[in-house]
Amino acid sequence: MIILDEIKQEENFSHSLFITYPRTVQISHGVYDNVVDMHNMCTMISKNLDTSEITNVYGGKTTWGFFNDKPEFTRFIDYVVQKHKNSNPFFNKQNWCYKNISFESWGNEIKKGDSINMHTHKDYHLILYLTEGAPLILPELKITIHPKKGAYYLFPPHILHGVGKIETEGNTRYCLVTNIIESVDWKKNKLIKEARDAREKK
């Protein structure tokens, strides 16, 4: 079980957890303290729910990519990168320099009667909890995450996770969910290689 205490601005640390089961995975987590942006994202989710798609989310959900162009999302991503660039190799600037990085971000609303099927993502997967609410279950890792407002978690690809059916009344859980999609930038790599070869010839 992973539980983060309430956000304290003066103790706003970032953390990484390594788990072997048998492969070793790194889960980076921390707290986000921009309470205004989190409140605004909750409001945007509640007012922009989409029921036209069948997904693993048996509850409320915005469209895919809903937050991609929102400044609140950009500020959060920038925050996470700055917090973890020295502790998680995924955020290493040189690593990103050789790749195209794109995002698929959306919002979930989970309340009584809702659930999220067990599933995985082929890309790095980032969850920001905008409120407290139902726990996230990671059965392969033997971990249950009990969300705290402002807590976020970055998972590597192919981590099985889901949320059981909510049986009791309580606060509606809102979260921002993001797939961070990597693809090789062949044009950029070619230019880098040409520049490196030119330096070596001198």
Side-chain angles (χ1 to χ4, degrees):
M1 179 187 300
I2 298 176
I3 300 177
L4 290 182
D5 294 336
E6 285 189 39
I7 297 169
K8 297 179 181 179
Q9 191 168 1
E10 69 276 14
E11 298 178 346
N12 197 353
F13 303 121
S14 60
H15 309 271
S16 284
L17 175 69
F18 290 87
I19 302 169
T20 301
Y21 73 106
R23 72 175 172 127
T24 299
V25 299
Q26 179 179 2
I27 299 173
S28 292
H29 57 100
V31 291
Y32 187 50
D33 56 3
N34 191 329
V35 293
V36 174
D37 276 1
M38 288 191 290
H39 174 78
N40 290 341
M41 285 190 278
C42 283
T43 301
M44 284 188 275
I45 293 170
S46 66
K47 292 183 177 180
N48 292 278
L49 299 177
D50 176 66
T51 59
S52 64
E53 297 176 314
I54 298 176
T55 73
N56 288 305
V57 179
Y58 285 82
K61 176 189 162 298
T62 67
T63 55
W64 302 113
F66 174 80
F67 280 103
N68 284 11
D69 60 352
K70 304 293 189 294
E72 291 86 355
F73 170 70
T74 301
R75 284 191 286 269
F76 171 61
I77 287 293
D78 288 344
Y79 176 91
V80 172
V81 172
Q82 288 300 312
K83 276 287 182 180
H84 296 278
K85 63 183 179 181
N86 295 322
S87 61
N88 190 321
F90 178 69
F91 291 117
N92 183 280
K93 284 186 177 180
Q94 188 170 354
N95 177 45
W96 280 31
C97 181
Y98 289 87
K99 299 174 182 177
N100 280 318
I101 302 294
S102 58
F103 303 100
E104 185 178 58
S105 61
W106 66 96
N108 287 345
E109 178 191 78
I110 305 297
K111 57 185 184 302
K112 183 180 179 181
D114 295 341
S115 64
I116 300 177
N117 284 345
M118 288 292 168
H119 64 287
T120 64
H121 299 266
K122 64 181 180 64
D123 305 294
Y124 274 81
H125 188 61
L126 177 63
I127 303 175
L128 168 64
Y129 291 101
L130 304 171
T131 63
E132 296 187 6
L136 180 72
I137 302 167
L138 295 83
E140 294 174 320
L141 306 184
K142 307 300 183 184
I143 284 177
T144 299
I145 295 174
H146 293 262
K148 294 287 185 179
K149 181 179 179 180
Y152 63 84
Y153 298 84
L154 174 73
F155 303 101
H158 308 297
I159 299 295
L160 187 67
H161 60 285
V163 176
K165 186 175 181 179
I166 310 305
E167 303 288 354
T168 58
E169 295 285 355
N171 294 331
T172 299
R173 193 193 84 173
Y174 289 96
C175 60
L176 170 72
V177 189
T178 305
N179 287 332
I180 305 176
I181 303 165
E182 298 178 280
S183 60
V184 178
D185 189 334
W186 296 109
K187 184 177 180 180
K188 184 185 295 183
N189 274 266
K190 182 175 182 292
L191 292 173
I192 292 172
K193 182 179 184 304
E194 290 173 350
R196 184 185 298 120
D197 291 345
R199 286 197 305 270
E200 292 175 353
K201 289 179 181 179
K202 291 181 179 180

